[in-house]
Structures are given as structure tokens and as C-alpha cells.
Amino acid sequence: MIRAAVIPLVAVAVASFHSVIRPLSAPVRTELKSRGFWHQSCPVTLAQLRVLTVTYRGFDDRVHTGQLVVNEDAAAPLAHVFRRLYELRFPIRHMRLADTYGPVRSRPADPDVSASFECRQAVASPCSGSARRGTGSWSEHAYGRAIDLNPVENPYVGCGMSRDPGSRPYLDRSRVRRGMVTPAVVAAFRSVGWGWGGDWSGSTKDYMHFSASGH
């Protein structure tokens, strides 16, 4: 089972931001492969991925340690982004490797997990129906160059619909509540050249989604 890395912090630095970038450990590689998050047909190798460990602020207003699996070329830019989110006091609900890749029984009861790498196709718009069908093209998540941030508060919306009932209160983007993406959050990602799914043209918006390509 994946467990969050323990990052020692000296007492005077408890409220400081910290980030660490490391290659995937053997247990993480095993978990990704055994649970189907990576396979031989994926567009990246395990050697091209990194574990990014960052401090972040939770909805409980406390400082937590979170981890993401990302592409090696995205790790340092994303460390910069998460430093800015920490400074903004932007709250994140869940962001541990076990929340995404661990056994189902160990994952949070709610789907509000911020995550990056998953070797899968891009998901079709809710406009195309209720099923989570793939588009036939690799998602940017399959390269480790995309992040979904607080999916409940920032839903994937098409034709005014979301597949996640818990996200319905957040379809009205004019009423900003905690955990919702703000212009300052978008600016943090844009500072490293990443685009936001909330800027997509047309009726489909992916408010949780940030990626290196903008797609």
C-alpha cells in the first residue's frame, strides 16, 4: 500500500512551504502497475515520472503534506505553482498518493481528490451523455502533464451538466466559495505556461483541469 512520505520539518519551519522531487520508488511503481494506472502501452515510461511532494493548506486551515505523480519535466514548474497556492492560502481537500492509487477502501469517501498522472484517454464531455466514455486520444494526464484540482468544487461541465451530483452547487461560477478556482489560481498556473480547462471555448468547461498544453 502507498503511504505518504514523511518529510521532517524543523519546528521553526512548520508554517513554511516545502517541496521535494524524487523518482518513483519501487512500491509506487508496483502500485501504479498492479492497479492499472500505468501499463506498457502508456505514452510515458515509469522512469519519466516523478513524485512531487509539497506542503499545502487543507480545508481545515492546517498545513498538510501532499503528493502527486507528474512528468519529470513538469515537477519543478508545479512546485513553483504549489508554492504560490500555499501563499494564497488556497485550500485543497485531498492530495495523497493513496487517495488516488491505493486500495478503494483506503480512498476518501468523497471524490474531491486532486491528482495528476493516470494513463487513460481524455474523457468525453458531459454533453455526449452520462457515460464516462473516452475520446480515443490520450489525456494530458496520461503524460503526467495535467492536474485536476478539487474536482467537487471545480466540476467538468458540458451543456450546463456535470456527471457528479456533489458538484451541482458549484455550477454557478459567479458565487465563489472555498476551494473553487479563482483568477489568482489560474494566474499561478499561467506563470509556468499551463492553461486552464475553464478557459475552453464552447459549452464544455473543465474547471478542475490545468495542463501544460491547455487541453
Side-chain angles (χ1 to χ4, degrees):
M1 181 187 300
I2 295 174
R3 292 182 173 84
V6 177
I7 307 299
L9 305 177
V10 295
V12 296
V14 169
S16 301
F17 176 85
H18 296 263
S19 64
V20 179
I21 299 168
R22 293 196 177 106
L24 305 190
S25 65
V28 171
R29 286 172 176 250
T30 298
E31 201 83 6
L32 291 177
K33 289 189 288 186
S34 66
R35 300 193 185 282
F37 290 97
W38 183 90
H39 49 81
Q40 292 291 342
S41 299
C42 294
V44 294
T45 65
L46 291 173
Q48 291 176 280
L49 300 173
R50 297 290 182 269
V51 173
L52 171 63
T53 302
V54 298
T55 46
Y56 70 92
R57 300 185 190 276
F59 277 74
D60 58 3
D61 294 318
R62 297 184 178 184
V63 175
H64 299 266
T65 298
Q67 293 181 305
L68 297 167
V69 172
V70 301
N71 196 290
E72 60 183 339
D73 61 22
L78 287 174
H80 173 81
V81 170
F82 278 96
R83 177 181 291 276
R84 181 59 182 146
L85 298 186
Y86 184 83
E87 293 168 350
L88 291 169
R89 305 186 74 87
F90 179 77
I92 296 172
R93 185 82 64 184
H94 307 293
M95 200 170 68
R96 302 180 308 151
L97 295 190
D99 297 335
T100 302
Y101 308 119
V104 173
R105 65 181 179 276
S106 73
R107 299 176 196 173
D110 62 78
D112 209 13
V113 178
S114 297
S116 178
F117 175 75
E118 182 181 352
C119 188
R120 61 171 174 80
Q121 293 181 20
V123 177
S125 167
C127 292
S128 63
S130 60
R132 294 179 182 272
R133 294 190 298 270
T135 62
S137 300
W138 287 118
S139 165
E140 289 296 289
H141 289 281
Y143 299 90
R145 296 190 180 110
I147 286 179
D148 287 342
L149 197 60
N150 290 346
V152 170
E153 290 80 10
N154 303 289
Y156 184 24
V157 178
C159 303
M161 300 182 296
S162 171
R163 295 191 182 98
D164 300 312
S167 290
R168 288 173 187 161
Y170 299 94
L171 296 183
D172 179 3
R173 304 307 289 179
S174 66
R175 184 185 167 207
V176 179
R177 282 148 288 172
R178 295 188 74 211
M180 291 175 65
V181 168
T182 64
V185 172
V186 175
F189 281 93
R190 283 180 180 161
S191 72
V192 298
W194 281 41
W196 180 41
D199 284 334
W200 292 351
S201 61
S203 62
T204 297
K205 308 288 184 183
D206 198 351
Y207 294 111
M208 73 183 81
H209 185 78
F210 293 89
S211 70
S213 69
H215 301 294

